[in-house]
Amino acid sequence: MRSQSYEQVLTKNGVQWEYMPQIRVDYIDVRKSQNNQARLINPINEELITRYALMDKEGFEAPAVVLWRSGKGKWNTIDGNQRIQVKVKHRHEFTDAYVVYNTDPKVIYRLTCTFNNQ
C-alpha cells in the first residue's frame, strides 16, 4: 500500500525512488536484508511479524516495503523485514515496494535508520 509519509521521507532524503505494485518476493534477499538492518541485536521482531500476519489474514494492507539493490543481484530491504517474513510465511508470490535507486552505503544506512526509528 502506498504511504504518503514514506514518500515524504524518501523525497526529503533526496533519493530517486519509484513505487512498484508488484515485486517478486523470491527476488528479495531475506537473509542479507536481516543482517543489513539498523536493529543490530534482533533484526526480526516476532511480535511484529505476528501482528502483520494477523493484519494480512484479515485483509488489512501494510505499507509497502522499501528496497534497494547494488548491481544486478537480489533486492535488499531498507524497511520491511517483518512484512517480508509474513509474505514468505504465507507463500505470497508478490509484494509492493518503494524501490530506491541509490547504491551509496551511507545513504542506504541513513535511510535504514530513518525508517527504523519512525
Side-chain angles (χ1 to χ4, degrees):
M1 175 175 87
R2 290 187 81 136
S3 167
Q4 186 177 7
S5 63
Y6 275 41
E7 293 176 9
Q8 288 172 347
V9 168
L10 291 166
T11 300
K12 184 178 179 181
N13 277 276
V15 295
Q16 184 181 0
W17 60 271
E18 174 184 9
Y19 174 78
M20 299 183 82
Q22 287 193 331
I23 296 271
R24 289 184 56 91
V25 172
D26 60 350
Y27 289 2
I28 300 170
D29 191 331
V30 176
R31 186 175 311 278
K32 186 174 180 183
S33 293
Q34 291 173 11
N35 294 330
N36 200 27
Q37 292 299 303
R39 292 185 182 122
L40 299 176
I41 297 172
N42 293 320
I44 294 298
N45 180 329
E46 293 296 335
E47 182 179 317
L48 192 52
I49 291 172
T50 301
R51 195 172 343 150
Y52 280 132
L54 181 59
M55 288 173 59
D56 183 63
K57 182 179 177 182
E58 294 180 357
F60 293 101
E61 291 187 68
V65 298
V66 182
L67 304 173
W68 75 282
R69 71 176 165 195
S70 60
K72 296 182 181 181
K74 287 189 170 188
W75 296 100
N76 296 293
T77 57
I78 290 173
D79 182 65
N81 277 331
Q82 280 64 229
R83 285 169 276 162
I84 292 299
Q85 289 295 323
V86 172
K87 300 285 186 182
V88 169
K89 182 178 180 180
H90 290 226
R91 296 191 172 108
H92 290 273
E93 192 173 352
F94 296 97
T95 188
D96 61 333
Y98 288 103
V99 173
V100 173
Y101 298 105
N102 192 306
T103 58
D104 182 336
K106 291 179 184 176
V107 172
I108 299 303
Y109 182 73
R110 183 181 72 233
L111 282 172
T112 301
C113 291
T114 299
F115 278 104
N116 278 292
N117 288 310
Q118 281 198 3

